[in-house]
Amino acid sequence: MAAGGLVIAAVVLTGGKNSDAGRGGDTTPVAAEGNAQRALAKLARRDQQDPMALGSANAPVVMIEYSDFQCSFCRLFTQNTEPALIEKYVGTGTLRIEWRNFPIFGTESDDAARAAWAAGQQGKFWEFRKAVYDSAPKKNSGALTPERLAEFAELAGVPDLARFRADQVSESARAALRIDATEGFDLGITSTPAFLINGRPVLGAQQVEQFIAIIEAARHSGGEGLGK
């Protein structure tokens, strides 16, 4: 995205409350209309081979999700809200979800993000993500050590744990994490979870009804804002 677009995005996305302080956040669409929203929509990668994405690469609506594995509100969204969106929209070809690793709580968040990427290299990203969030890790408590992350990988069904461990500490994992994190920081995101739905920013773990309303508006917009 051009520097000007990033400035616009930063104005739109900053100011949201830290998700661990409450459900807060803002779904304000005004500043994201028009050119700004179309610029943000172009961040959708639409790579059918992306192991950290669900849904058709040609889906009319793409939701980009910036999350941290130590974020309690990311966990609540994943467990309580996202399943309904997957059932209602992903299976019907309407919605594509693209995960971005956005670790903001320190070393354990970084380690978990790289481990998630490593699990994805063997097709088990989503299973790994579920295993971690189901454990409800407390921030920086030692709950996400490399040894524990390997246990989550085994629980998720990652077939080759030796490869998982090697991938987790590889430069490829670090490079992938830098790409995702840089994208989020360039947008001005300071808290998780944060989302872009066809370029429209949504901050915080909002209620499912709000996500449904935004997805419905996007699917009926005739593709406006899509980053194709």
Side-chain angles (χ1 to χ4, degrees), residues 60-139:
V61 183
V62 177
M63 181 174 74
I64 303 174
E65 175 183 347
Y66 300 87
S67 288
D68 183 306
F69 280 99
Q70 294 195 98
C71 166
S72 61
F73 281 88
C74 297
R75 183 180 75 251
L76 288 175
F77 171 80
T78 296
Q79 295 175 332
N80 300 337
T81 302
E82 195 171 51
L85 303 182
I86 291 172
E87 181 179 1
K88 186 176 180 67
Y89 294 114
V90 174
T92 61
T94 298
L95 178 67
R96 175 176 174 84
I97 300 173
E98 295 186 357
W99 171 276
R100 302 288 192 267
N101 277 311
F102 193 65
I104 58 174
F105 292 121
T107 299
E108 289 188 53
S109 293
D110 289 341
D111 289 345
R114 287 186 284 105
W117 181 89
Q121 300 311 293
Q122 299 187 56
K124 293 295 183 179
F125 167 77
W126 296 95
E127 293 85 352
F128 178 87
R129 189 188 74 154
K130 182 179 187 302
V132 174
Y133 278 138
D134 282 353
S135 76
K138 294 182 180 179
K139 288 201 298 285

Side-chain angles (χ1 to χ4, degrees), residues 169-186:
V169 297
S170 68
E171 179 54 35
S172 294
R174 297 181 190 280
L177 180 56
R178 282 196 298 271
I179 290 171
D180 283 0
T182 297
E183 180 177 295
F185 285 123
D186 282 349

Side-chain angles (χ1 to χ4, degrees), residues 111-125 128-129 132 145-170 173:
D111 289 345
R114 287 186 284 105
W117 181 89
Q121 300 311 293
Q122 299 187 56
K124 293 295 183 179
F125 167 77
F128 178 87
R129 189 188 74 154
V132 174
T145 63
E147 294 77 16
R148 187 71 176 119
L149 291 167
E151 293 176 6
F152 287 130
E154 185 174 14
L155 182 63
V158 174
D160 187 340
L161 292 178
R163 176 188 169 191
F164 166 82
R165 291 187 180 92
D167 283 343
Q168 182 184 358
V169 297
S170 68

